[in-house]
Amino acid sequence: MADAVPEVVRAYVQTTFGDIPRIEWDFDEDTNTFEADFELAGDREVELRIRPDGTLFSAKEDVPASEIPEYVKAAALKEIPGARILGANKLTDRTGTVLWDVGLRATNNGRFYRNVRIPEQQLKR
């Protein structure tokens, strides 16, 4: 499959993330996109869907709690005050809209886990 990936699609990954030693490539016929799955330092998984013209269709990037921006953490903790932030997925859609899916663990009346989805545009107001 890697041989069938257009150079412009490879260039998107290179330009955005630098040299990635191992990338798993696939093609999704439903969305007509190339899928690139790889890991960054610290076991951060990244899943990209890239159009054949080299533009981003969607992205999902794991972000450890220590690297989540403070404004995202603050918004998530407004939803569940006192919770512990476990990590997040940074989701980007085809329009460039970013959504943070933050994992929280709270201990009110026993343990529970909850994900809070926060649109980036809402956070930067």
Side-chain angles (χ1 to χ4, degrees):
M1 174 69 219
D3 294 339
V5 178
E7 186 55 39
V8 67
V9 172
R10 291 175 186 274
Y12 176 87
V13 176
Q14 170 82 29
T15 302
T16 307
F17 292 94
D19 288 325
I20 305 295
R22 289 190 39 202
I23 300 174
E24 284 186 39
W25 291 101
D26 200 2
F27 186 78
D28 184 335
E29 292 182 15
D30 292 337
T31 59
N32 192 38
T33 57
F34 290 90
E35 297 177 356
D37 294 329
F38 54 90
E39 285 188 9
L40 298 174
D43 294 330
R44 293 175 60 168
E45 292 182 23
V46 176
E47 299 172 15
L48 303 175
R49 288 182 179 208
I50 306 164
R51 294 181 189 99
D53 67 0
T55 58
L56 182 68
F57 180 79
S58 66
K60 175 184 167 193
E61 182 178 348
D62 292 344
V63 180
S66 62
E67 295 181 30
I68 299 171
E70 290 302 319
Y71 62 90
V72 174
K73 290 179 184 180
L77 292 174
K78 275 185 185 176
E79 296 287 324
I80 305 177
R84 180 171 163 233
I85 295 176
L86 304 172
N89 287 316
K90 181 180 177 183
L91 309 169
T92 307
D93 71 13
R94 66 191 89 179
T95 66
T97 300
V98 174
L99 181 75
W100 287 89
D101 187 7
V102 182
L104 302 169
R105 181 173 70 196
T107 55
N108 296 346
N109 300 326
R111 290 185 179 189
F112 73 92
Y113 298 87
R114 179 171 172 209
N115 283 8
V116 175
R117 290 186 166 229
I118 308 163
E120 180 89 3
Q121 313 83 290
Q122 174 184 324
L123 296 171
K124 292 197 172 181
R125 289 183 182 167

